[in-house]
Amino acid sequence: MTSAPVHVLPDAKGRFGAFGGRYVPETLVAPLEELEAAYAAAREDGSFQAELNTLLRTFAGRPTPLQYASRLTEFLGGPKIYLKREDLLHTGAHKINNSIGQGLLAKRMGKKRVIAETGAGQHGVATATVAARLGLECTVYMGTDDMERQRLNVFRMKLLGAEVIGVNSGSRTLKDAINEAMRDWVTNVNSSYYLLGSALGAHPYPQIVRDFQKVIGEEARAQILEAERRLPDLLVACVGGGSNSIGLFYAFIADSNVKMLGVEAGGRGKSLGEHAARLAATQGFDGARPGVLQGTYTYVLQTTDGQIAGTHSVSAGLDYPAIGPEHAWLADQGRAEYAAATDEEAVAAAKTLARQEGIIPALESSHALAELIRRAPGMKKDQLVILNISGRGDKDMEILSRYV
Amino acid sequence: MTKTALDTRISRKFRALSEAGELGLVAYVTAGDPTLDATEKIVLAAAAAGADVIELGVPFSDPVADGPTIQRASERALAAGTTLEGVLGVVKRIRAKSDVPIVLFSYFNPMLQMGLAKFARAAAEAGADGVLATDLTPEEAGEYRNALAANGLDAIFLVAPTTSDARLGAVAEASSGFLYLISRNGITGAQDALPVDLPALVRRVRKATKLPLAVGFGISQPTHVTVLGGLVDAAVVGSALVAEIEKAGSADAAANAVAAKIASLKGAASKGVSKRSFDAP
C-alpha cells in the first residue's frame, strides 16, 4: 500500500492514449527536444533532486499539512473530509512547486530568462518569485481582462522584479497569454526558457508539470495512511489546465478503489462561451470535442468549424478552453470523473469554508469544494475524502466582496 | 520518391521558374479579410500582377505563429464569418478564373474538425494544389499526409533555423511541391533586413533536399527579393501584403495595392541581378 505507482505515461511520443503529442511550429521542435533531454537527465540526477527538495522544504514550505476539517465534516453531515493545504505554500498556491522545478531546470540548461503566462496571476507570481530567488530575468504575459480582475497579483509580480506584459488579443485571458508567451519563446528561443504553468501544451510539458506537482499526492497519500491507516475513498480537486488535480491524483492512479473527481468551471450557463467545462459533458455543457490547441491534442471548447471558443468563469485560473491531455485520458479511461460547479456555487463554497474552517480558499479551489458540498450528503459517514485547497483566496477579495 | 510522384500546378510552376532562371514570388493573404468576395478579387489581381503561387491563409482564432499584422487579419476574417468551408468556396471561384497554384495555409485544428479525409477531398475538388499546416510537423502528420496524397495535394512542411541537419532530411522527405524555409526564429511579420546568416542556412538546407525552396518570414521589400534571387527558388511575402489590405478602404483598393506591391517585388525578382547564379537542381 505504500509503494509508488508504476510510471507508464506519456509514451515516447508524449501521448496519454490518444491525447497529448506535440503540435507546434517547426521552430519549437528543437527546443522541445532539448527540454525533453535536459529534463530526462535532471530526473536521474541526484543533485538536481536534492536541490529541488531543499527549495521545496526551505523556500516553499513543504510538506503542506493534511488537515482534518472537523467542522466542515460535521456541517455537511457526510464523509470525513481532509484538506490538503497547498494554500499554505509560499506565494499562496500549488503553482510554486512547478515554478521551482522548472526554474532549476532553466538554470541547469543555461537559460538566463524565463517566460511565463498567467491567468489568475498565481503562476506568474510563483514564477516571478522563483526567478528572483534563482537570479533569472522574468517576463510574464497576462490577459488584460485578467490583469483587471487580479490587480494585486500584477503588483506583486512587478514588486518581485518581473516584467508584466498585458495581452489584448482574443479573449484577453489565459489562452491569449499562452499564445503571446509562445510567440516570445519562438522569437527568443536560444536565450529563454518557457516556464509553462499547467499540465498543458506540447510534450514534454504535461509530463514535466505533473512530475513537479505529484508531490501533492505523494504527501497526501502518506499523510492519510498515517492519520487513518487506509486510503481515501475520494479525491476532489479543481481543473483548469489541470496541474493541481493531476498533482493530487497521480500518486493514486494505481489505487483503483480511490475515486478521483475533477471539478471544472461551470460559469454562468451551459451554452458555449458561458463556461469552461470541457469534460463535464454529461451535465449538458456545450462545445467540447477533441482537437488541437497550443501544442496538444485534448478536449477543447470550440465551434463546429474548429475555432477555439470563448470561455467564462469567475475564477481566472479555470477560465481556459482546453484541459490537460492526461485528464482527457483519465476521463476516457473512466479512471477519473469530471463535474462542473457554477460561479455562484463556487462563491458560496468559499464563504462556507471561511465560516466553518477559518480558511478562505482561492475561487479556483472553491469549485472543488462546491462539488463536494453537493455530493457530501449522499456519501457515508465512514468514507474518507481528500479535498485539495490548491490556493488561498487573498487574491480574490475584490471579486468576493462584489458577490458576498 | 514521393517528391516526384505528384505532378501539380505547384511543381510545374517551380519547374518553369527554374528553367527561366527566375525567382518565384509566393503571395500570402488571409482568406476572408475583410470578406471572401474581397479575397477573390485580391487573389486574382495578385496572380495577374505576377504572383507565381498563392498562399491562402485559413483564419484561426489562436494563430501562435503569426505576428500582429496577420493576427489582426485573422480577427477581421473571423469577424466576417469566414469558415474553412467558405475558404474552399473561394478557392473554387478563383480556380474557375485562374490557373495560379494555390496552397492552403492553415493551423491544424480547423482541418482536423472538418475531418482530414473530407477536407483533403474538398480542397482538391475546389482546385487547391497543396496544403501547409503551421503547427503540424511530420511526426504528427501521418493521417494528414495520407489524406493529402490520396487527393493529389502537395504536403508542404516548414524548416527553421533551429531545425537540425538530421531533421532537415526527414522534413524534406515528408514534403512535396516545395519546402518552406523560415528565415529566422520568430513569428510572421515584415522586417527591415534579412538575417545575415540566411545564406549559410540556405546552404545547409540545400544539402538536405533537391526540392524547390521558398523562403518566408520578414520579406517585404524589393531589395530583399533581389538578395534572394541567387539563393533560393521563391520568396514568400505575407504581412507586407496583408498590411496593404488593412490600409485599403475597399476591396478594389486592396486588390490594386496588392497588385502594385507584387509588381514591384516581381520586378526585383526578374531583374538581372536576381537571376539565379547557380545551376538549378
Side-chain angles (χ1 to χ4, degrees):
Chain A
M1 241 172 41
T2 52
S3 65
V6 180
H7 168 80
V8 284
L9 293 174
D11 65 18
K13 297 194 78 184
R15 295 274 173 176
F16 303 87
F19 303 102
R22 179 180 288 164
Y23 297 87
V24 292
E26 173 65 27
T27 307
L28 292 180
V29 171
L32 286 165
E33 285 175 348
E34 182 195 357
L35 174 61
E36 192 179 353
Y39 177 61
R43 251 165 75 132
E44 303 304 319
D45 181 343
S47 67
F48 178 87
Q49 295 299 331
E51 196 178 358
L52 172 63
N53 290 334
T54 299
L55 279 176
L56 287 176
R57 199 178 67 248
T58 62
F59 185 62
R62 300 214 73 90
T64 59
L66 184 73
Q67 178 205 335
Y68 171 46
S70 57
R71 292 196 67 230
L72 179 68
T73 296
E74 197 181 327
F75 178 74
L76 295 179
K80 196 167 178 184
I81 299 168
Y82 281 84
L83 307 177
K84 182 59 175 164
R85 297 290 308 277
E86 293 296 295
D87 60 308
L88 292 176
L89 286 170
H90 182 36
T91 70
H94 73 291
K95 292 292 183 187
I96 192 90
N97 302 324
N98 170 57
S99 293
I100 290 175
Q102 287 201 60
L104 287 174
L105 194 54
K107 249 195 130 164
R108 184 188 169 95
M109 292 172 74
K111 308 290 184 186
K112 305 270 184 260
R113 172 176 179 259
V114 295
I115 306 159
E117 79 296 334
T118 197
Q122 291 303 105
H123 174 59
V125 167
T127 302
T129 298
V130 169
R133 178 68 185 76
L134 299 180
L136 298 164
E137 276 178 63
C138 179
T139 300
V140 179
Y141 290 92
M142 188 169 189
T144 47
D145 274 13
D146 287 342
M147 286 175 80
E148 177 60 33
R149 56 181 162 172
Q150 302 288 354
R151 268 182 288 186
L152 199 58
N153 273 344
V154 175
F155 178 71
R156 290 167 81 191
M157 287 184 272
K158 289 180 177 169
L159 191 62
L160 289 158
E163 175 190 23
V164 181
I165 300 180
V167 179
N168 227 338
S169 58
S171 56
R172 298 181 294 274
T173 58
L174 178 58
K175 165 178 84 77
D176 309 283
I178 295 178
N179 288 340
E180 211 51 37
M182 286 178 77
R183 292 181 186 121
D184 182 322
W185 193 35
V186 83
T187 307
N188 300 294
V189 71
N190 294 321
S191 63
S192 299
Y193 180 100
Y194 182 19
L195 210 162
L196 183 60
S198 196
L200 293 167
H203 179 60
Y205 281 108
Q207 177 186 7
I208 289 178
V209 177
R210 175 201 69 199
D211 287 357
F212 287 134
Q213 292 293 359
K214 71 183 164 74
V215 64
I216 302 171
E218 287 169 352
E219 282 177 9
R221 195 172 182 279
Q223 288 164 324
I224 194 85
L225 286 174
E226 180 166 343
E228 294 284 344
R229 305 281 163 220
R230 69 178 185 91
L231 289 171
D233 299 283
L234 178 67
L235 309 173
V236 190
C238 64
V239 190
S243 71
N244 90 83
S245 43
I246 202 68
L248 176 65
F249 294 173
Y250 189 65
F252 296 91
I253 288 177
D255 302 317
S256 54
N257 291 327
V258 179
K259 287 190 176 152
M260 308 191 300
L261 173 62
V263 186
E264 305 180 285
R268 60 191 170 201
K270 293 195 171 175
S271 55
L272 193 59
E274 298 296 306
H275 63 86
R278 294 71 40 103
L279 290 175
T282 50
Q283 289 177 255
F285 289 90
D286 258 2
R289 287 192 314 283
V292 169
L293 177 65
Q294 293 168 339
T296 193
Y297 178 73
T298 185
Y299 283 89
V300 181
L301 290 165
Q302 55 185 314
T303 66
T304 49
D305 46 54
Q307 303 298 337
I308 308 309
T311 50
H312 166 81
S313 172
V314 68
S315 113
L318 303 184
D319 202 353
Y320 182 73
I323 190 162
E326 193 161 10
H327 286 290
W329 175 75
L330 288 170
D332 257 29
Q333 296 295 303
R335 179 63 191 92
E337 184 193 349
Y338 295 83
T342 65
D343 287 354
E344 267 180 37
E345 291 167 335
V347 169
K351 194 172 166 187
T352 298
L353 197 67
R355 301 285 166 89
Q356 296 302 322
E357 293 290 339
I359 299 167
I360 301 172
L363 279 171
E364 288 76 13
S365 324
S366 303
H367 283 72
L369 175 60
E371 184 62 20
L372 180 58
I373 289 172
R374 194 191 340 260
R375 292 184 185 210
M379 293 179 71
K380 296 195 192 96
K381 284 189 188 244
D382 63 352
Q383 288 185 302
L384 288 178
V385 175
I386 297 177
L387 173 69
N388 200 23
I389 304 300
S390 56
R392 67 178 89 123
D394 305 29
K395 68 184 174 59
D396 295 319
M397 287 307 133
E398 272 194 43
I399 298 167
L400 282 167
S401 67
R402 263 178 263 150
Y403 278 85
V404 176
Chain B
M1 290 289 289
T2 50
K3 299 179 200 21
T4 51
L6 290 179
D7 182 35
T8 62
R9 285 186 195 88
I10 296 169
S11 57
R12 289 197 294 275
K13 171 61 81 175
F14 275 101
R15 231 169 15 246
L17 286 165
S18 170
E19 280 160 15
E22 191 180 321
L23 180 75
L25 194 67
V26 179
Y28 169 96
V29 294
T30 300
D33 169 31
T35 65
L36 284 170
D37 286 342
T39 300
E40 182 184 348
K41 274 188 184 168
I42 292 164
V43 167
L44 290 171
D52 295 294
V53 175
I54 301 295
E55 277 184 1
L56 206 49
V58 177
F60 183 52
S61 53
D62 294 81
V64 292
D66 286 302
T69 305
I70 294 178
Q71 286 176 45
R72 287 195 302 273
S74 306
E75 283 178 14
R76 289 192 297 270
L78 291 173
T82 308
T83 63
L84 178 51
E85 224 173 319
V87 176
L88 295 177
V90 87
V91 169
K92 198 169 186 171
R93 276 148 55 192
I94 294 164
R95 182 56 71 229
K97 295 173 186 165
S98 168
D99 210 32
V100 68
I102 298 175
V103 175
L104 291 167
F105 194 105
S106 182
Y107 287 82
F108 189 45
N109 198 52
M111 300 187 279
L112 188 64
Q113 296 310 318
M114 182 178 273
L116 296 176
K118 184 183 166 192
F119 160 73
R121 204 163 48 242
E125 276 171 18
D129 304 291
V131 185
L132 192 160
T134 320
D135 54 351
L136 190 67
T137 58
E139 288 88 341
E140 301 286 6
E143 192 189 340
Y144 164 89
R145 284 174 62 198
N146 289 340
L148 296 191
N151 289 281
L153 293 165
D154 280 320
I156 294 137
F157 287 94
L158 302 104
V159 291
T162 55
T163 308
S164 66
D165 286 344
R167 265 182 70 77
L168 280 176
V171 176
E173 187 59 39
S175 301
S176 66
F178 64 94
L179 191 61
Y180 189 124
L181 172 60
I182 300 171
S183 68
R184 57 181 161 81
N185 293 335
I187 51 180
T188 60
Q191 299 275 317
D192 289 339
L194 294 177
V196 288
D197 50 0
L198 185 60
L201 177 62
V202 169
R203 277 195 296 279
R204 200 159 69 81
V205 179
R206 284 283 189 207
K207 273 189 210 154
T209 182
K210 290 197 178 343
L211 275 176
L213 204 53
V215 170
F217 282 40
I219 294 162
S220 59
Q221 297 165 19
T223 50
H224 299 160
V225 173
T226 305
V227 171
L228 290 172
L231 268 181
V232 294
D233 301 279
V236 185
V237 183
S239 296
L241 300 179
V242 172
E244 296 291 342
I245 295 168
E246 185 170 36
K247 273 189 292 184
S250 68
D252 287 323
N256 289 338
V258 166
K261 185 88 191 165
I262 284 172
S264 86
L265 294 168
K266 189 64 190 176
S270 46
K271 272 185 195 135
V273 280
S274 74
K275 287 276 187 183
R276 297 171 56 124
S277 57
F278 58 91
D279 290 336

